[in-house]
Structure formats: structure tokens, C-alpha cells
Amino acid sequence: FTATLGLPEAESAIVPLRLGTPERALDASRRLEHRGFLVKAIRPPTVPAGTSRLRFAFSAVHAEDDVLRLAAAVAEIVEPETTASEPALQARPTGVVDDGSASASRKSPP
């Protein structure tokens, strides 16, 4: 996933992707959901202002093809924005803290 997107190698099964504003994170989350992926937008007050992100949680039950399709969808949906100081689109390794969400899981049919 991270290699496909040109991001730093993940240090855990939790891969955050910083997008900056809550609006960008929510929009990307909705667009991924329309493609069949459940990816949670994490925004203030859970994270500091300006660091809203998508939170991907991977497990052994995710097929490699599904992960690659997810990476391709993210690449199409999330446009990198950079500033002189720091890229807005970046992965930040974090500790494994499960909030109970099934981020990055394929949605099951109703």
C-alpha cells in the first residue's frame, strides 16, 4: 500500500494518511466508500487542527488485490498538495491503537 503510493514504509497495521483539513479527509472518505472501501476520516478534536487524516487498518484477511485496488483508488481520489514546509499528503507512523473501526475493510453487502 505505502510503496504503491510512494509513502514511507508502514511500521504497523495502522496507516494514517494526513490530508490537512477535515473537509478533505471527509470528502476522500466518502469517495472511497462509493468505491466500496470503508476508510475513516479522523479529524479534530481527535487529532490537532490541520492534521485531519484517513486511517487505514490492515489485517491478514485483506487480499493483496484488494489492497492494491485501494491504493489505486486513493491515488486517484487524493491529490497531493505540497507547501514549502511540508507535504499535506503523507503517512505518519503511529502506534497500534484500535478505535474499534474497521478502516480499510471492504464493505459487506447488506
Side-chain angles (χ1 to χ4, degrees), residues 5 11 13 17 20-21 27 37 44 49 54 56 58-59 73 80 87 91 93 100-101:
L5 293 173
E11 294 180 9
L17 184 63
T21 67
D27 179 61
F37 297 102
L54 294 176
F56 301 89
F58 296 98
S59 76
S101 67

Side-chain angles (χ1 to χ4, degrees), residues 15 22-23 25 34 41 43 46 59 63 67 74 76 80 84 94 98 100 102:
V15 180
E23 295 80 15
H34 287 302
R43 52 210 157 96
T46 306
S59 76
V67 174
V74 170
E76 290 176 22
T94 61
D98 189 11

Side-chain angles (χ1 to χ4, degrees), residues 33-46:
E33 184 174 9
H34 287 302
R35 293 183 181 211
F37 297 102
L38 177 60
V39 180
K40 294 292 186 181
I42 308 298
R43 52 210 157 96
T46 306

Side-chain angles (χ1 to χ4, degrees), residues 58-77:
F58 296 98
S59 76
V61 299
H62 292 111
E64 185 175 348
D65 288 344
D66 288 335
V67 174
L68 293 175
R69 279 200 321 275
L70 173 60
V74 170
E76 290 176 22
I77 289 171

